[in-house]
Every structure is written in structure tokens, then in C-alpha cells.
Amino acid sequence: MNDNKFKILLVDDEIDILEFISYNLEKEGYIVYTAQNGVKAIELAEKKQPHLIILDVMMPEMDGIAACEEIRKIPSLNTTVIAFLTARGEDYSQIAGFEAGADDYITKPIRPKVLISRVKALLKRTGESSAPVAYSEDSTTVSIGNLVIDKERYLIRIGDNEMVLPRKEFELLSLLVSKPGKVFTREEIYGTVWGENVVVGDRTIDVHIRKLREKIGNEHIKTLKGIGYKFVE
């Protein structure tokens, strides 16, 4: 097993859950770090630079949503995959997680084999070419009007304003910008940005589109109801 190159940070205030998940991941050869609150999670994430962070939502001192938002502000962790642990039916937690910059969520309780399968799928995103690379030309930047996309640093510039985007927001924007005016169906977006074998909620794209519009303006991303989205200059 060659998975031990991957580092995973688990964050949950329940010791039994940390022990259960840690045991199963370490058995697969992963390097596992644990924290019991959001404050410690941020500290460990910056120090250990994990490939994947699995965050519980409800925790003392700082909850998972706030911790995710802070982690996404750290440039060196911008490509780290973040998944939330949520109970079945917690739609609010899932939506709030995506808005905070999470890439996915894992529903608990979860069987060990399913857990390992989900973790492997999430870690594939760190080891494979992501969406921006697929449509990379010779240059590492793409300019459309006053929008500049830096594909190496996962950041965008709008006029004089520069901002780092969470990984999935960046990949979604890069996909839409790759062919201005083309309508990308929801199925195309799911398959390209999240992958065919990754299960995500129905609201996932909507949340990411809303976050992008807040950052680059409503006029650039148009919705075709029941079909998908397109980027317009």
C-alpha cells in the first residue's frame, strides 16, 4: 500500500469517533492527525499541511464552519481537500459547509469500507490533474475583460482586487471560462469538477455558483433554468 504519503487531519470533539476513524485510516497506511476543536484544527493544519481535512460541524471553542473559513484563508492550504462530517438529513450543515469552502461531505454514521472508499475518492483530487490543468494553454494565466485567472496560484484578479478562491470554486470558474458563451450542463459540471464517482448533494453547484457571483459579479455567470450555466464577458 502506497497511500502513506497522504496526510489526513481529523477534527471532532467526540473521542470515540476520532479513534474509530483514525484506526481505520491508519490501517490503510495514511498518516493521521487529530484535533478536538476548530482552533486546534487551524493550528495543526498550518503546521502539518494535510492533503485532506475531515471536519465535524458542531464543536466547542470554534465550530467546523468557522474553522473551514479560516483554513481557506491560508494560501498554503488552498488545494487541501476539506470534507465535513454531517448527520443524515442535515441539509443546512451541508450547504453551510460548501459556503465556507468545503469540497464535499461525509454522512455519518459510516461503515469502515465506505469511509475508506470516500477518502480514496477525495484524495484522488489531490493527486490527479484538476479542472484548471485540463484546459491550460501555454500560459498559466487567462484574461477575460477585467478578470484574470492565475491557474498556478488558484487566485483571480478583478481590476485591482486579488483573491484566492477555494479549490472547487476555482475549478468551476475555470471550467466556465474555458469556453465563454458555452452552456455547461449540470451533469458536465459535476463530472468535470467533482468527478463521475463522487456523490455530492443536489445543491452543491448552486451554492458554489452563488459564492462565485458574490466575488466576480452576477453579470458574468448566467443560469439556463433546468439546463446549466454559462460564462459571459
Side-chain angles (χ1 to χ4, degrees):
M1 174 119 11
N2 194 32
D3 286 331
N4 59 9
K5 64 181 179 179
F6 289 115
K7 295 179 288 185
I8 300 173
L9 172 60
L10 300 178
V11 191
D12 199 301
D13 61 327
E14 295 185 42
I15 295 291
D16 56 341
I17 291 177
L18 284 181
E19 290 178 347
F20 168 75
I21 297 178
S22 296
Y23 170 76
N24 284 283
L25 291 177
E26 287 171 347
K27 212 165 59 164
E28 294 293 312
Y30 297 111
I31 299 168
V32 181
Y33 306 102
T34 61
Q36 288 182 261
N37 62 65
V39 174
K40 186 65 176 176
I42 296 167
E43 179 187 321
L44 266 178
E46 198 160 14
K47 183 178 179 182
K48 300 297 184 182
Q49 297 289 306
H51 299 90
L52 169 64
I53 299 173
I54 300 176
L55 272 171
D56 188 29
V57 177
M58 300 300 293
M59 293 182 295
E61 292 192 53
M62 179 185 284
D63 65 26
I65 303 296
C68 182
E69 289 175 339
E70 292 303 311
I71 288 168
R72 283 302 183 216
K73 294 175 184 176
I74 302 171
S76 62
L77 295 169
N78 193 56
T79 59
T80 295
V81 177
I82 299 178
F84 274 101
L85 279 172
T86 63
R88 285 190 176 89
E90 282 187 355
D91 292 338
Y92 167 78
S93 294
Q94 293 166 7
I95 292 168
F98 286 127
E99 290 183 336
D103 298 289
D104 209 338
Y105 63 89
I106 296 171
T107 303
K108 58 181 181 181
I110 188 167
R111 296 190 304 276
K113 285 185 179 179
V114 177
L115 169 68
I116 298 304
S117 175
R118 291 299 305 278
V119 165
K120 286 181 177 178
L122 289 167
L123 285 170
K124 276 185 178 179
R125 304 179 191 182
T126 69
E128 296 178 349
S129 295
S130 57
V133 177
Y135 3 95
S136 172
E137 299 91 18
D138 293 334
S139 173
T140 59
T141 62
V142 173
S143 299
I144 298 181
N146 68 340
L147 175 65
V148 178
I149 300 175
D150 187 326
K151 292 179 283 187
E152 282 195 338
R153 295 192 290 161
Y154 278 75
L155 62 77
I156 63 171
R157 285 192 300 276
I158 303 172
D160 295 327
N161 297 321
E162 185 174 281
M163 67 188 84
V164 176
L165 294 182
R167 184 182 182 122
K168 289 305 169 191
E169 283 181 33
F170 187 89
E171 293 179 359
L172 175 54
L173 178 61
S174 295
L175 174 61
L176 296 175
V177 166
S178 69
K179 294 181 179 178
K182 169 183 163 57
V183 178
F184 288 90
T185 66
R186 296 176 70 87
E187 290 73 20
E188 283 180 284
I189 294 171
Y190 275 128
T192 304
V193 177
W194 279 271
E196 300 290 350
N197 298 319
V198 178
V199 179
V200 293
D202 292 337
R203 296 284 305 279
T204 304
I205 293 178
D206 304 326
V207 169
H208 283 71
I209 289 289
R210 187 170 85 243
K211 296 296 285 185
L212 282 174
R213 283 173 171 157
E214 289 172 0
K215 292 168 183 174
I216 69 171
N218 292 326
E219 68 274 11
H220 290 300
I221 300 176
K222 301 298 182 185
T223 303
L224 279 81
K225 196 168 182 179
I227 302 173
Y229 299 93
K230 69 177 179 179
F231 183 89
V232 294
E233 297 182 43

